[in-house]
């Protein structure tokens, strides 16, 4: 068991309702997420490094370091440096999770190339400031300079938490870059903010690692500066940047969905460190309103392609869903911070939903291609991605190996590599399990008591979650388990041979636990129909199908007789059922008809002809769709 | 009565099922459209000229002519020249409609400034080719150089048809510019096309005016060149430019909705002139598929903000409808050409719908502000447009005085000024009335026979259309009237005191007509519910309300008790009815409720609470909405 050093985890607040448990305390030993972590480590990291080299995004640092013609030869978009940093962060977590020497040497090699490009005053960016390039800080709206530094800091924080005291130099590079930001944008410096948030949470995390409050103060300054129109009024409007309303006054997440979540996450970090209750409360309100009105059933956020943005309340079209992978990751980052602050299981509910239906949807089974946007309805087979060149971010109908804006692959990689840290927490009372994975939690408290459990489960394929106590402790302690919001009916907890119903929320058993004691949480895994709020106009009259936390989809490759997914009507009088291990629904095939105008005064003229009854149409887990060639797909099924 | 000179009309094909009747043959003497033509002439034209001067878009020509620092001082987007040309076209039609000397002198003054900027070889564009500017033709994707010439040609054609032989010089300027295009992009020239179609129809029209087939051949060449990937693959995809599939092979309008309609209109022009039946047939198919699957109930086209483009089939979200005003105008241009070619009343049906619900929706009542996009559902009051500066094209919640991309105001102006030419046609058999306006048609045929009618009607406020014969002719001739597609039940025709039911399509009475004979077409004007094709997912379970060709909307300023438009459910068991002259529907107010997740396994949890019954909620003509301050609005009303 580990000591009481700071957790090897992405977020380590100084206070809060719950304390994170890191990679040293928690193990994921099998099941859904272990598979994905393994693919990430074995395939995705090398795939990402290959494309970073191929596209020249790491070489940009070499050009900068060696006095090359950066202005002429630099490749990639304004933010390509950040992909290199996110790759480093992913490597750092993976090394912390037990990665081998090969990973360590790759990590050090890239760090050395990055470090060599840093200028004497700490400035580090390959896109600005050198001969022939635009001056530093000359394009705060779109330049992403401060944003890139944020990802550099996050990589360094990951490294410092997983390999404290390592001599690779990344933490020093990060500190110098952060100092440069503080020197430049401090109270006496440029009165500006970055068009893309991200620096805020990174600076707070660096402050936590270094115990240097200057970084925290700078993060707080950035949070307070935003929302006063310091950025220009671009075509998408200032809300795209969250710069139209101060963070403390905003009541909902809006604008670019990744930016919105990153900013809110940073605001939580600042609020927690500075005991700023009103700031924290503002973010809670924004989160609640975003989740109740602006979030897809998958947990995805962002319904507008044009500006990758949240739509207005209830504007959640499935066929033009954007639901960017990175927005899902940002949402997990935000919800996790709120969970640590408040302990409310609703945050963990959203994390679970988003992990299973957005984050795990992005990568292909082989970990070598990704969805950037995660639509909930594909009507046409569309254009196939090109295996040999970067795809446009939201154009491909299947997962693509790389994108011109390639934020998602590296974001998925760092999230999967650090996922272990989102499973469990501790507090003075005991341990809390938030996500159910086969594995173990073993935690040594500051008071020296050691608490540990092993979890056996095939969740979410199965609803039995068996928690075995691994520690003997003469004092009572509390084991808390999340009962997911979706498990409103039929969840039970068995302790000491006694089974009782439990309701969504947190169920806590406090007692003197002995090694070998068992707790069994049993969740109702019958597939179910899910009905939308009627204010979501775009899915009126439709149902989704879920099983546990997993959203299902109707994919054309599963439709008997080749009927189009849009031509099936679900019979909601018969619940979805398992047939041969697959979730199925009863459907009617309705036949399209010709007309010369699709709007009729006679309602009967709009009713399609009735075709075959299909008794058991199999659905596919949404995260697994589009792994069998081009297809069409619906999450929301028209009910009959 | 006029002679047999070419009609003073926007489209004068060499052949086709119907022949256009121009401004000299047709008069609109009152009613809905006369009001709008009057506002256009009295207010909009001066408003447009004011903004063109204020923004410097006319001055750009002065800078070019006087050797000014065009590269440094030029203002406006790449296509700002075209707004000056569209303004000239509007002036030309308005002068042709009877405009006064003041209009004539304004027209000549602007023509002189344009002409002065033309280069010796005929090239004319203020954005390219001069010192410090990008070279000519260096950006075919986005430069709009050829597109701008197209609008120059259309202005000259309008002038030549309304003031043949006028000495203002515009036609010569246009010919030189067209010659320059032919020299540059002819069979031996640059093998390219413009990113924005428009030149095709303009060249054919110029060929018709000048009887110079070189322009026709160049138009045909541009049509045939497109669709082979000559333009680069931009983020929106090549279908944005209609450059992914040859015109002859495409089966539906797609990509940027204005570009798509302009290109298709040009293809019809080419096909008609060259007797190219397969090309014409391809466009017919594209039109039919676009109208039956990709068109809003208003006639609006384009459901994507991101690229101002058609969505896929059945993707017609009301709340993210783009329905650009210019796309509606392009659709009228296309349908009119197909109507002339084929004579099918369906084309005139779409023109009517689009004129009443898109083109007339754009301008405010005072003609000094405009909608660029025409949404079918506004959920929030949104940002008000700025009266003192150009608005972003689709950002304002109310009509805006001008836009940074300001294509719509000038397009509306030229359309309203030439609207008279869309009312009636002639063929060897007689006259055809397509749109019903109070006014007259008086046509001298090539064989010397003179046919004339006067129309008395208060349409669309009233369904009685009284056609009185104004001519005496000893030979029989055919009077054809369109029975609109929406008038499926209850339309009657009364001739000689005998009334009979008539069905949608064209009803023709052929006889020896005497002065004073009357025909009465009576259309059923009861307001009605309209139901959408079930494949339009976005409006499942909703109804619209129409009366005659006019679409209605529920606007918040009309809702009793201040309920939100999104909180009303329409009772479809009681048809909409007229109360105090307004169309009303019976609604139930449903009450929103709080929840922490908007997707529920228990359907009852998604049912809103029932509030007050509202017996007669007044609706507003969609084209008249947003004239009473900020409001929310729905065209598609949730049914209960």
């Amino acid at each position: 068991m580990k000591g009481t050093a700071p957790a090897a985890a992405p977020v380590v607040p100084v206070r809060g309702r719950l304390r994170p448990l890191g990679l040293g305390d928690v193990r994921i030993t099998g099941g859904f997420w272990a598979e994905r972590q393994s693919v990430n480590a074995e395939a995705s990291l090398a795939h990402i490094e290959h494309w970073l080299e191929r596209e020249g995004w790491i070489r940009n640092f070499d050009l900068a370091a060696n006095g090359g013609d950066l202005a002429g030869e630099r490749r990639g978009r304004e933010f390509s440096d950040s992909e290199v940093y996110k790759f480093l962060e992913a490597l750092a977590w993976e090394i912390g999770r037990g990665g081998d020497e090969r990973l360590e040497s790759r990590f050090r090699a890239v760090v050395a190339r990055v470090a060599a490009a840093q200028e004497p005053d700490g400035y580090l960016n390959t896109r600005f400031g050198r001969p022939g390039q635009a001056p530093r800080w000359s394009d705060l709206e779109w330049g992403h300079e401060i944003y890139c530094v944020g990802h550099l800091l996050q990589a360094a924080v990951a490294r410092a938490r997983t390999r404290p005291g390592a001599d690779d130099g990344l933490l020093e590079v990060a500190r110098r870059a952060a100092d440069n930001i503080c020197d430049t944008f401090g109270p006496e410096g440029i009165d500006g903010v970055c068009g893309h948030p991200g620096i805020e949470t990174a600076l707070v995390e660096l402050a936590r690692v270094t115990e240097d409050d200057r970084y925290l103060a700078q993060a707080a300054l950035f949070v307070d500066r935003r929302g006063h129109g310091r950025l220009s009024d671009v075509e998408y409007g200032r809300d795209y940047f969250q710069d139209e309303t101060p963070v403390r006054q905003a009541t909902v997440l809006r604008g670019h969905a990744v930016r919105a979540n990153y900013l809110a996450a940073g605001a939580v970090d600042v609020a927690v460190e500075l005991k700023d209750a009103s700031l924290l409360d503002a973010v809670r309100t924004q989160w609640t309103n975003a989740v109740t009105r602006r979030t897809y059933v998958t947990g995805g956020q962002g319904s507008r392609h044009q500006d990758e943005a949240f739509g207005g309340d209830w504007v959640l079209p499935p066929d033009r869903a954007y639901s960017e992978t990175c927005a899902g990751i940002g949402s997990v980052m935000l919800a996790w911070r709120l969970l640590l602050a408040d302990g409310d299981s609703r945050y963990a509910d959203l994390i679970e939903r988003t992990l299973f239906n957005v984050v795990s949807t992005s990568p292909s089974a082989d970990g070598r291609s990704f969805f950037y946007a995660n639509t909930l309805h594909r009507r046409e087979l569309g254009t196939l991605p090109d295996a040999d060149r970067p795809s446009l971010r939201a154009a491909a109908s299947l997962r693509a190996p790389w994108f011109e804006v390639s934020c998602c692959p590296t974001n998925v990689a760092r999230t999967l590599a650090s996922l272990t840290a989102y499973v469990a927490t501790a507090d003075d009372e005991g341990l809390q399990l938030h996500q159910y994975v086969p594995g173990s939690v073993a935690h040594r408290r500051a008071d020296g008591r050691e608490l540990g459990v092993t979890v056996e489960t095939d969740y979410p394929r199965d609803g039995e979650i068996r928690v075995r106590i691994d520690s003997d402790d003469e004092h009572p302690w509390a084991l808390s388990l999340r009962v997911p919001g979706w498990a409103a009916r039929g969840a039970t907890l068995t302790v000491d041979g006694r089974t009782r119903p439990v309701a969504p929320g947190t169920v806590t058993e406090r007692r003197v636990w002995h090694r070998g004691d068992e707790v069994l949480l049993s969740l109702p895994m019958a597939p179910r129909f899910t009905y939308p709020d009627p204010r979501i106009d775009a899915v009126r009259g439709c149902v989704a199908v879920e099983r546990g936390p997993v959203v299902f989809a109707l994919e054309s490759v599963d439709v008997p007789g080749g009927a189009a997914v849009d031509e099936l009507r679900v019979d909601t009088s018969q619940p979805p059922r398992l047939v041969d291990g697959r979730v199925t629904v009863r459907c009617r095939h309705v036949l399209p008809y010709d007309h010369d105008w699709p709007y009729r005064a006679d309602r009967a003229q709009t009713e399609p002809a009735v075709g075959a009854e299909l008794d058991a149409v199999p659905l596919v887990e949404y995260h697994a769709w589009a792994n069998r060639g081009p297809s069409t797909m619906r999450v929301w099924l028209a009910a009959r």
Side-chain angles (χ1 to χ4, degrees), chain A residues 9 69 94 140 174 176 201 214-215 230 278 315 392 445 463:
Chain A
D69 176 17
E94 191 56 37
L140 291 181
R176 286 201 301 274
T201 193
R214 184 187 188 200
Y215 305 133
R230 285 179 169 84
S278 69
V315 186
L392 298 167
R445 294 154 49 115

Side-chain angles (χ1 to χ4, degrees), chain A residues 41 107 135 214 257 311 364 425 442 482 524 583 594:
Chain A
F107 176 85
R214 184 187 188 200
S364 59
T425 57
R482 179 177 62 96
V583 173
D594 288 332

Side-chain angles (χ1 to χ4, degrees), chain A residues 1-3 5 7-8 20-27 420 440-444:
Chain A
M1 289 197 184
K2 292 278 167 181
L21 297 181
L23 275 54
D25 293 322
V26 182
R27 302 266 164 202
T420 315
S440 62
V441 180
H443 176 56
R444 172 180 292 186

Side-chain angles (χ1 to χ4, degrees), chain A residues 188-200:
Chain A
E188 310 300 316
I190 300 172
D191 181 23
V193 296
C194 184
H196 199 314
I199 190 68
E200 299 81 1

Side-chain angles (χ1 to χ4, degrees), chain A residues 130-365:
Chain A
R130 287 183 173 78
Q133 294 186 314
R136 292 181 187 182
W137 323 120
S138 57
D139 184 8
L140 291 181
E141 284 77 13
W142 301 109
H144 287 77
E145 284 164 285
I146 308 178
Y147 164 85
C148 286
V149 171
H151 279 298
L152 171 68
L153 271 47
Q154 294 192 332
V157 166
R159 181 66 168 176
R161 295 229 176 96
T162 50
R163 289 286 182 271
D167 65 352
D168 52 81
L170 182 58
L171 184 59
E172 282 315 301
V173 171
R175 288 199 69 151
R176 286 201 301 274
D179 289 341
N180 177 256
I181 294 291
C182 294
D183 293 343
T184 310
F185 291 93
E188 310 300 316
I190 300 172
D191 181 23
V193 296
C194 184
H196 199 314
I199 190 68
E200 299 81 1
T201 193
L203 283 168
V204 176
E205 285 274 88
L206 186 67
R208 289 163 177 167
V209 162
T210 61
E211 298 184 350
D212 184 340
D213 282 346
R214 184 187 188 200
Y215 305 133
L216 173 59
Q218 184 66 45
L221 189 58
F222 279 138
V223 168
D224 280 334
R225 271 187 193 155
R226 190 172 290 266
H228 300 277
R230 285 179 169 84
L231 298 167
S232 26
D233 192 7
V234 296
E235 174 168 1
Y236 305 145
R238 282 207 180 87
D239 55 345
Y240 174 83
F241 299 128
Q242 295 79 42
D243 194 34
E244 89 299 0
T245 307
V247 178
R248 290 168 198 281
Q249 292 167 26
T251 57
V252 66
L253 301 182
R254 73 282 176 212
H256 188 269
V258 181
R259 285 171 166 81
N261 274 292
Y262 282 16
L263 175 64
V268 173
D269 284 336
V270 167
V272 164
E273 299 302 306
L274 296 179
K275 297 187 187 175
D276 188 333
S278 69
L279 179 60
L280 183 58
D281 209 47
V283 179
R284 276 191 201 106
T285 299
Q286 293 163 27
W287 183 87
T288 298
N289 286 333
V291 170
T292 54
R293 302 178 189 174
R294 299 185 172 189
T295 301
Y296 284 101
V297 67
T298 55
Q301 296 182 336
S303 52
R304 291 160 54 148
H305 280 239
Q306 185 181 30
D307 43 4
E308 309 189 304
F310 281 97
D313 289 348
W314 317 114
V315 186
L316 293 162
D319 49 8
R320 286 290 280 174
Y322 200 70
S323 182
E324 183 180 337
T325 300
C326 289
I329 289 170
S331 170
V332 169
M333 289 167 56
L334 172 58
W336 178 250
R337 282 159 172 80
L338 289 168
L339 177 64
L340 293 180
D342 293 355
D344 189 328
S345 65
R346 288 192 307 142
Y347 301 121
D349 282 354
L350 186 73
I351 291 172
E352 171 174 69
R353 181 173 292 274
T354 308
L355 288 176
F356 277 116
N357 302 297
V358 180
V359 177
S360 75
T361 304
S362 175
S364 59

